[in-house]
Amino acid sequence: MTSPDARSGTGQPAELFFEDLVPGLTVDLGVVTVDADEMVAFARRFDPQWYHVDPDLAAASRHGGVIASGFYTVSLFMRAYVDHLLSRAAADASPGLEELRWLAPVRAGDRLAVRVDVMGARPSTARPGLGTVSLTGTMLRLGPDDRPEQEVLRTRFRGWFAVRPVEADPAEAEAVEAAPGDADRPGADLPGADRHADGPSAADPSAAAPSEGDPAEISGSAEAQRHD
């Protein structure tokens, strides 16, 4: 069974680990199209300000029409981040955001190109076995020719990712399995076989008999009795 540290953010076996997320790496998170119904439904539920939900008032304002809630836009970013990176990476929790900016209005039908750039990476001092990765996420509105027209969102944040598990060397594992245990040692079933190699052996009576003046012979202390 895949260990928790080797699962991706969606629970599948991970293929990317902390060591793979090196500074300078750019990950394409695809293109998302803003759905009008979803955009307004989100605003009605979570951010019902008039320029997000009232077409008449929004049309008569400087906005020229309904615009998306910024939190809806960042939710689109998050979904693309999960689908295209966290679903493959051994992701843990995130310690938080450093920056979240809405740089231009987002409207129904907009096509937004999403990407994330790795800005820095270091082993976590608070969470052994994890690394802290600093990331910048961006969303850019595309024109009819699919070229970027305008940046609409930028965010800087950190994520925790598991370090790559160390796999046991097959040769070492075989060597451990092949190594004889105590029960396999020649003579392990003979009397005195569990004694130290330099100690007296029951097979050598002369070695077992203390010489004259040997402290073990004249001492009745517990230390002398524990000599063997």
Side-chain angles (χ1 to χ4, degrees):
M1 185 173 67
T2 305
S3 69
D5 288 344
R7 292 185 189 136
S8 75
T10 53
Q12 302 303 310
E15 59 184 77
L16 296 175
F17 293 86
F18 167 71
E19 294 85 351
D20 301 308
L21 302 174
V22 297
L25 175 68
T26 295
V27 182
D28 181 358
L29 304 182
V31 176
V32 298
T33 300
V34 180
D35 180 85
D37 293 337
E38 182 182 71
M39 180 185 84
V40 174
F42 181 98
R44 285 177 177 155
R45 174 68 176 85
F46 298 106
D47 189 4
Q49 300 183 78
W50 60 266
Y51 42 82
H52 296 325
V53 298
D54 191 316
D56 294 333
L57 290 178
S61 73
R62 65 181 179 85
H63 301 297
V66 170
I67 60 175
S69 165
F71 291 100
Y72 173 71
T73 305
V74 77
S75 295
L76 293 178
F77 169 82
M78 189 66 205
R79 180 58 192 256
Y81 180 48
V82 171
D83 286 348
H84 296 278
L85 180 58
L86 298 188
S87 62
R88 302 165 53 208
D92 202 272
S94 168
L97 298 170
E98 280 79 41
E99 178 185 27
L100 175 57
R101 297 188 65 193
W102 298 295
L103 302 170
V106 170
R107 305 176 189 276
D110 280 352
R111 297 175 63 250
L112 307 176
V114 192
R115 81 178 193 209
V116 69
D117 295 279
V118 178
M119 310 305 293
R122 59 180 174 77
S124 173
T125 56
R127 303 284 300 275
L130 299 178
T132 300
V133 180
S134 299
L135 303 139
T136 294
T138 57
M139 301 183 82
L140 300 108
R141 180 167 35 244
L142 300 179
D145 57 359
D146 285 341
R147 292 185 179 182
E149 286 187 340
Q150 188 174 22
E151 187 177 8
V152 300
L153 178 142
R154 184 187 311 133
T155 180
R156 290 188 300 110
F157 60 101
R158 290 176 292 153
W160 281 320
F161 294 85
V163 300
R164 178 171 280 104
V166 177
E167 296 184 2
D169 187 336
E172 292 183 0
E174 291 179 3
V176 170
E177 291 179 1
D182 288 343
D184 298 327
R185 285 189 295 109
D189 57 345
L190 296 178
D194 59 340
R195 296 181 180 178
H196 192 278
D198 295 331
S201 169
D204 185 359
S206 61
S211 60
E212 186 177 352
D214 188 330
E217 181 184 18
I218 61 177
S219 172
S221 69
E223 184 65 31
Q225 295 178 29
R226 287 201 301 270
H227 184 74
D228 290 341

